[in-house]
Amino acid sequence: MERQAGQPLAYVTAFENDNSIKDVTKWYAANWMSVNRKLQVDAEWWKMTLQPYKTRNRDRDRKDDMQLQVNLLKQPLPTSIGAFKDHPLYALKRHLLKFEAIYPESAVPLGFIRGEAVYARECVHTLHTKDTWLKEAKQIKSGEEPYKMVKPRLDPYKHHTQEERDTPSLGTYGFWQTETYVSPPVVDGKIPRNRYGNVQVFQPCMLPAGTVHLKIPGLNKVAKKLDIDCVPAMVGWDFHGGWNHAVLDGWVVCEEHEDILVAAWDQEQEELEKKAAEKREKKACDNWKLLVKAMLIRERLKKKYNLQDPKASPTVCETEKASDAKMSWPASKQVKPAKSRGRKKDNTHLFPFEKM
């Protein structure tokens, strides 16, 4: 069947009478584990796509998968070095990633290819640094040595020697070297914090005993007034601007102070809302005063200088026709008025707009 199908063979799907669909490429692709498997898209996306069409006969489906796994295990080892790369059953040390290692060290090889040991993929484990394990609420056991040393990511803005670039100095650990994280206890109402002054709460179980995590904005100001210890909670990391930045969300306080702080915060919010309402009311009154003063000044000027509203009565230009065409039509050259030989008119008492 594989010879008659189009090459390369990437997908083979089977359709049942109950309108179910199943991927059976593993059954018909001879080089599934080394070649055909790499031709498919993301395995998780493909699984989610076929999930609505999964068969209801779960027993038969499970038996088929078990039989398929047995058939794959019976296949001989690949005959080329490249076929072992990302192989689902076998692995070579040369193909391990930076944070991968073979565990246990005494693992028995399944065979050899060109003098290099072939290990089961089950023996390949992912390693992490101390900080990465801490994000999963794990800490390194006392006395454990790094299982593998790798090259760290150096600061690009600093000068480093060639020896620093080539020397592996970052220790990584496996899951067998970790244990559940236990936070330091609270002493005399003081919450333990790291060197940056916050509490690392990557997981809910990382809270110190006898404390709670409150996600209330501005709670630290209330706690400062009441002289209660309140520590920022660090819940993760965010990468932006070329650097990792700590993400702070909420505050960590002692359980016995929770009710007092929440009540004081509610009272302070009521006072802030009251002050904001008074400020808005005062601003509205000031605006009305300014409007009334402007209208009074306008009326006083109209009475003092006998000013008329242009909308109330028509102007001279609208009622009378021009008798002299030469004077009414604009001239191409502005004519300067004749200078008077008399005394200058005193206009110091006029407003600026009346002098124009």
Side-chain angles (χ1 to χ4, degrees), residues 274-324:
K274 184 178 179 180
K275 290 181 180 179
E278 293 176 354
K279 185 177 180 181
R280 289 194 301 268
E281 184 179 355
K282 183 178 181 299
K283 186 176 181 180
C285 293
D286 294 341
N287 292 338
W288 277 109
K289 289 181 181 178
L290 183 63
L291 177 61
V292 171
K293 287 182 179 180
M295 295 180 67
L296 292 176
I297 293 174
R298 180 186 178 188
E299 293 297 328
R300 188 171 70 248
L301 292 176
K302 288 172 62 178
K303 292 181 180 179
K304 182 176 181 179
Y305 298 101
N306 195 20
L307 300 177
Q308 295 182 356
D309 192 354
K311 296 182 180 180
S313 60
T315 59
V316 178
C317 297
E318 295 176 348
T319 57
E320 298 181 0
K321 294 183 179 181
S323 58
D324 190 354

Side-chain angles (χ1 to χ4, degrees), residues 2 28 40 72 89 100 152 175 232 247 266 293 302 350:
E2 186 176 3
Y28 298 97
Q40 294 189 348
L72 294 177
L89 299 179
E100 289 183 346
F175 73 92
V247 178
D266 292 338
K293 287 182 179 180
K302 288 172 62 178
L350 300 178

Side-chain angles (χ1 to χ4, degrees), residues 186-289:
V186 179
V187 180
D188 297 333
K190 294 294 182 180
I191 301 173
R193 60 203 77 190
N194 56 15
R195 56 180 177 175
Y196 301 104
N198 50 56
V199 179
Q200 295 173 335
V201 192
F202 302 119
Q203 303 291 337
C205 60
M206 296 181 66
L207 276 174
T211 61
V212 292
H213 184 198
L214 300 178
K215 297 181 180 181
I216 301 177
L219 187 65
N220 58 326
K221 299 179 181 179
V222 180
K224 186 176 181 179
K225 294 179 182 179
L226 299 177
D227 195 17
I228 296 177
D229 195 21
C230 182
V231 186
M234 176 183 172
V235 297
W237 294 90
D238 182 31
F239 184 82
H240 63 272
W243 300 97
N244 284 321
H245 302 269
V247 178
L248 303 179
D249 184 17
W251 311 89
V252 178
V253 298
C254 296
E255 291 180 350
E256 57 268 20
H257 301 150
E258 178 182 4
D259 298 336
I260 300 175
L261 287 174
V262 173
W265 184 83
D266 292 338
Q267 183 178 359
E268 185 177 9
Q269 292 302 310
E270 293 178 359
E271 294 178 357
L272 292 177
E273 291 178 0
K274 184 178 179 180
K275 290 181 180 179
E278 293 176 354
K279 185 177 180 181
R280 289 194 301 268
E281 184 179 355
K282 183 178 181 299
K283 186 176 181 180
C285 293
D286 294 341
N287 292 338
W288 277 109
K289 289 181 181 178

Side-chain angles (χ1 to χ4, degrees), residues 31-39 78 80-97 100 119 121 124:
N31 299 323
W32 158 253
M33 290 186 291
S34 57
V35 180
N36 303 86
R37 182 178 58 88
K38 301 178 182 179
L39 300 177
S80 63
I81 297 294
F84 283 95
K85 188 175 180 63
D86 296 331
H87 198 281
L89 299 179
Y90 312 110
L92 301 178
K93 282 190 175 181
R94 68 166 65 186
H95 294 152
L96 296 179
L97 300 180
E100 289 183 346
Y119 295 93
R121 179 61 63 174
V124 179

